[in-house]
Each structure stands twice: as structure tokens, then as C-alpha cells.
Amino acid sequence: MARRSDSPVVILSILLVLSLAGWFGFDYLHARLSSSSCDTVATLSVVAAPSIASAVARVSEQDGAACYRVEVIARDSAEAVESLAQAKPDVWIPESSQWLLRAQRRGAWDIPVTGPSIASSPIVLGLTETAARQFGWPERTPTWAQVFSGEPAIGLVDPAVDPAGLSALIATGELTGSAPDPAGSYALTLRKLTKHTVQKRAELFDPARPLDGVVTPESDLGKHGLVGVYADPAVPSLDYPYVVLPGSDQGKRDVAQQFLSRLLDQTSAGQFAEEGLRGPDGRALGGSSAAVVRPVAPPADPDQLLNQWAAVNRSARMQVLLDVSGSMAQVVPKAATDRMTLTIQAAELGIRLFKPTTKIGLWRFSTNLDGDKDYKELLPVRPVGELLADGSLDELRKVKAIHNGATGLYDSVLAAYTSARQNWEPGRINLVVVLTDGKNEDPQGITQEQLLAQLAELQDPKRPLQIIGIGIGPDIDPVELRAISRATGGDAYTTEDPTKIVDVFYAAMGRLLET
């Protein structure tokens, strides 16, 4: 006869096994709990850029056995620069190392200018599918040069407040560096970019703002259905530096290092991939087969780039004096044209450089152009947008040098400056720009001493009005031009080589930033 399964022996055996299993299981669980118990649980305060904050928060939640907790605060990097000194966290993770440099320059606290990168995102030109197809996509991938060869509506965030915008400036410089006129091409490309510049990245994706594309981090492409066009050569990426801020005690610094190790661990890669980010080395995460885009370090000193950008974005009121004396007809062999043509080309380029709201007027000057006056109005002061729209620049292109005309510099400068003073406009950079190839040659006019004395009388610190002198050719007197300009707080820029007038012009425009 078979033994019943519920016999006392069997039941006792089962109970014994369960009891032992429960005992050892309790000991094992107790040991696990004891080994992970913490006398204290430290709180690490982390301020992170919004594009990475969610991933950082999820990583912090993965390790329940850690003897610390992480409080992640999403804050725009530009806003963080302003607020960190007052409410300083333990760790800051901005989008770019550029923010570290900017924060240190503010002098609020001794922040490091470098930190280990925990992720990266290349800066790309994201095109709508419609725009991309115009360049042959998907059969072939367009290039930045192809896109910017036309008049695309490309949006970007102001480079002064966004590292993606700064990368756009760098890419633009690379695009135009091999052009016949690099400085002019660069300025005109910047002019295109200024038309669709915004202050916050979210504004780029406003449905009410129809654009062909945007300069943005790669991580935005999938979120907005854009086709990525990668710069060649590559431009600075977002590098998400991890920085432990000064002032944290040693305990917090130790915890910060533990959390950094956790962020860099391979088990955390999926969290960054979910936000469309790459690894610090530029490799795609989450099993993506995308090509590696090696991160490029941001420039150590971006001020020059930002200054050039600011120059094309400031509205001004400019009274331009254009020398039409006989010497302007002299041929420049290297350029196969005359000084007058080169100067007009630079003047036209300058007009196109400025914002449509900038007001510009032009006077010609030589000697006795209008009776006994050495100057005569060519174009009245009007917004650039109007000058470009109604064909007024045709009048500029028709200007010729006056045969046997001399250079009535002093009288013309005083008249232009007096007019600009009388018509001074608040909220603008008010300037008188003098384009000349010579020095004063009018013995019947005022002297240099009289000019400088009258310029001094016309000064008003509350209503600044500078003279910017631009002199070309071997006949100029740099000392004379500089004395006139500096009497008003301005300066003179000269070159003996007339073919360099465009370079000199942009050097002069950079001077506007100091007004």
C-alpha cells in the first residue's frame, strides 16, 4: 500500500525545511539591509540644464542602496549664471563649458572653468523635410554651405545667450573663410542669421514662426521631426560639464564624486539616450548606429565672435561722408578698378550689413560741390530696409570721382557732424563715418585747429556722437584723421592698400561695441 502524502513524518519534514529557509532567509535579508544601512543620508543639490535634468534625476533614482539622495533642479544655464551666487547648489551641470567661463567672469564666486563631461550633443542645422528635399534629401545629405548659399529662413538663439548660437557663428566663419572676400561674406551670412534670431530655444519651434530650419542641438531633431545637417568641420558641441561648486564641505564633495561615477557608469547610458544625448566621447547611445561625432571644445575666448555678432545687431543712425575728390579715380592695379569703386563697394556692403532699422544717410564731399560748399547730400537719412527696397543704392553705384576735385575734409566733417548733432536720436548708436583717400586740401576752408575746437564745443556726454574715420591709399594722413575722430571719442582706421578697405571697414564697425 502506498504511504499517504499527509503522514506526520512528511509534514514535519516540510515544516522543518520551511523554518530553516525562513531563518536563513531572514539572516540573509537582515545582512543585506545591515550592509546597506546608513547612519546619515546626505542630500546632494544639483542644478542641471533642462535638456539633461530629467536623465540625471532618473539616474539618481536607480541606486536605492546609496547613502545619499539627489535633488535635481532643472534651470536654464543663462538663468543659473545669475542665480547660483545667491542660492548655490553643490553641483552645476550647464549645457556647455562656455557657461563656466561666463560665470567666472562675472566674479561672483571662484567657479572652475572646466569639469568632466557626462554627455554631449553636436550642434546641427535641423531642416524641415520640405526644406531638406529642396537640397536632394534623402538621396543625398545637404551641407551647411549649400543651405546658406541661398536665402533660407534659418532660426537660431542669440549667440550671446546660447552656446548653440555661438557654434553657428563658428560654422559661418568656416563657410566663408575661403570666399574671395571672407570678411564681407562672413558679415552678409551673419546678416542672414540675424533675421530669425530669438532669445529662447523654445521660440524656434513656435508654430507661428515658419522656418526652413534651425541651428540647434542634435537632441532636438527627433523631438521636432527635423533632418540633421552636420557641420564639416565640426563645431563646438554641448559638453555638459559636471562641476562641484566651491564652498561645499568635504562630505558633499565625496558624495558628488560618487554620483559622478554613477552618471558615467554604462548602466546609466540608457537614461541619456532617452533624451537624445550622446556619450562624452561623441558616441551614440542606446544601440544607435549613428556615426561618432567627436566633441569639439568651445573657444577659450569667444568675445571676438560675439563682438562681431553684436555689431550687426545694433541699430544706429549713421551720417556717411563719401570722398569723391579726383584722387579717388586712381586705378588700383591689384583690384583692376579704381579707389572710388572699391569704396562704393565697401559702403554698399556696410549698408547691407546693418539691421533694416538702422538709419543711414550719405553725403558726397570734395570742393565746391554745391556752390562754395564742399559737400552735397546724396541720400537722405532713412532706414536701411527702405534704401534696399526702393533701389536707392543705384544712386550710390552711379557716383564718380570729380575730375580735379580736391579734398575739402574739414568743412565737410564739421557740417556733417553739426547735422548729426541736430538730428541725434535716442536709443541708437549715433555716428558720422568718413570714407576718404586723402587729407584736407581746401585752403579756403577752416583749419584743423578750428575744426577740433568746434567739435569740442559740440560734445554732449549724455548724447554721444562719434566720428569713425576710414582712410585708404598712400595719400591719407593717419595722424590728421585720428585727431579728428578722437576729438569725438571715436577713432580712425587706415590702410595704404585700397583693396583692404573691407577689412578696415569691419575693424571700424567693431569699434561700435565700445560706444
Side-chain angles (χ1 to χ4, degrees):
M1 176 182 288
R3 180 177 297 174
R4 293 176 58 185
S5 61
D6 57 352
S7 67
V9 174
V10 174
I11 292 172
L12 289 172
S13 298
I14 293 172
L15 290 173
L16 178 60
V17 170
L18 290 174
S19 298
L20 290 173
W23 176 259
F24 285 114
F26 174 80
D27 274 358
Y28 175 77
L29 179 60
H30 178 72
R32 287 285 294 169
L33 291 174
S34 297
S35 65
S36 63
S37 64
C38 308
D39 293 332
T40 59
V41 177
T43 298
L44 190 71
S45 174
V46 177
V47 166
S51 54
I52 201 171
S54 296
V56 172
R58 290 195 298 271
V59 171
S60 72
E61 295 165 0
Q62 288 180 337
D63 194 356
C67 292
Y68 60 86
R69 59 182 293 271
V70 180
E71 180 185 61
V72 180
I73 303 167
R75 184 168 295 154
D76 182 82
S77 298
E79 296 175 1
V81 169
E82 302 295 333
S83 64
L84 289 180
Q86 288 74 40
K88 190 187 303 180
D90 302 306
V91 173
W92 184 27
I93 309 175
E95 288 180 306
S96 168
S97 296
Q98 278 296 308
W99 291 114
L100 304 180
L101 178 63
R102 191 167 301 181
Q104 189 186 69
R105 285 183 172 180
R106 294 188 68 86
W109 25 277
D110 186 21
I111 187 173
V113 293
T114 59
S117 171
I118 63 170
S120 67
S121 185
I123 301 303
V124 300
L125 176 55
L127 296 178
T128 64
E129 285 196 10
T130 300
R133 290 184 187 282
Q134 294 176 357
F135 295 99
W137 182 87
E139 286 73 21
R140 61 178 182 272
T141 302
T143 65
W144 283 52
Q146 289 173 332
V147 174
F148 281 104
S149 63
E151 293 288 338
I154 301 298
L156 78 158
V157 186
D158 186 345
V161 299
D162 188 279
L166 182 62
S167 289
L169 297 191
I170 295 171
T172 299
E174 294 287 351
L175 289 178
T176 58
S178 59
D181 176 12
S185 297
Y186 181 61
L188 289 177
T189 303
L190 291 187
R191 183 70 258 153
K192 294 177 185 178
L193 288 173
T194 64
K195 296 178 181 178
H196 305 286
T197 301
V198 299
Q199 292 301 307
K200 291 185 177 295
R201 198 173 296 162
E203 297 176 47
L204 293 176
F205 307 105
D206 183 350
R209 186 187 298 274
L211 295 171
D212 297 316
V214 297
V215 178
T216 192
E218 179 192 53
S219 54
D220 281 339
L221 295 179
K223 300 173 186 176
H224 301 282
L226 299 173
V227 177
V229 180
Y230 293 78
D232 184 19
V235 293
S237 307
L238 301 186
D239 59 343
Y240 296 98
Y242 182 96
V243 177
V244 182
L245 298 182
S248 299
D249 59 42
Q250 190 58 47
K252 289 290 185 72
R253 299 183 73 84
D254 291 342
V255 169
Q257 290 304 313
Q258 292 180 49
F259 187 50
L260 173 60
S261 298
R262 190 77 179 86
L263 291 169
L264 294 175
D265 191 278
Q266 287 299 313
T267 59
S268 301
Q271 305 301 332
F272 296 114
E274 192 171 324
E275 300 299 323
L277 299 172
R278 293 173 177 255
D281 59 357
R283 295 182 184 276
L285 303 173
S288 171
S289 59
V292 176
V293 180
R294 299 292 181 190
V296 176
D301 186 357
D303 286 355
Q304 182 177 359
L305 285 170
L306 294 176
N307 286 351
Q308 291 170 325
W309 173 256
V312 303
N313 275 282
R314 303 184 73 175
S315 291
R317 185 190 188 281
M318 301 176 63
Q319 181 65 65
V320 180
L321 272 176
L322 179 61
D323 188 348
V324 293
S325 60
S327 58
M328 292 291 281
Q330 289 192 20
V331 173
V332 181
K334 192 193 307 187
T337 189
D338 58 28
R339 296 178 188 175
M340 190 82 260
T341 300
L342 291 175
T343 303
I344 289 173
Q345 289 173 349
E348 181 174 348
L349 185 61
I351 290 172
R352 294 182 183 277
L353 169 68
F354 289 98
K355 297 181 71 172
T357 52
T358 284
K359 294 182 177 180
I360 294 181
L362 286 97
W363 289 8
R364 298 180 302 147
F365 78 97
S366 178
T367 48
N368 302 319
L369 277 186
D370 185 11
D372 60 355
K373 294 180 181 178
D374 293 342
Y375 48 87
K376 186 174 183 179
E377 182 178 78
L378 176 67
L379 296 175
V381 176
R382 295 166 57 211
V384 167
E386 293 182 13
L387 293 174
L388 296 177
D390 66 7
S392 293
L393 292 188
D394 289 340
E395 295 302 313
L396 173 63
R397 300 186 191 107
K398 294 176 184 177
V399 171
K400 302 295 182 183
I402 304 297
H403 182 64
N404 292 328
T407 306
L409 182 63
Y410 298 159
D411 283 0
S412 301
V413 167
L414 181 59
Y417 195 84
T418 301
S419 174
R421 170 59 69 204
Q422 293 170 347
N423 295 283
W424 190 94
E425 293 189 33
R428 296 178 180 273
I429 304 169
N430 288 258
L431 298 166
V432 173
V433 178
V434 182
L435 296 164
T436 183
D437 75 335
K439 49 186 174 289
N440 186 68
E441 298 172 328
D442 183 6
Q444 306 302 318
I446 62 174
T447 66
Q448 181 176 345
E449 290 73 17
Q450 290 172 321
L451 171 62
L452 296 179
Q454 293 194 52
L455 289 176
E457 291 179 5
L458 289 167
Q459 296 311 296
D460 182 350
K462 294 182 179 180
R463 306 169 76 214
L465 174 61
Q466 295 183 355
I467 293 175
I468 302 294
I470 299 176
I472 62 167
D475 303 323
I476 56 173
D477 184 344
V479 175
E480 173 187 72
L481 197 56
R482 192 168 295 116
I484 295 171
S485 301
R486 290 183 176 176
T488 65
D491 210 340
Y493 299 81
T494 62
T495 176
E496 292 189 3
D497 183 355
T499 65
K500 299 296 185 182
I501 186 171
V502 170
D503 295 333
V504 174
F505 181 85
Y506 288 116
M509 292 304 99
R511 178 67 173 82
L512 302 182
L513 300 168
E514 300 176 19
T515 60

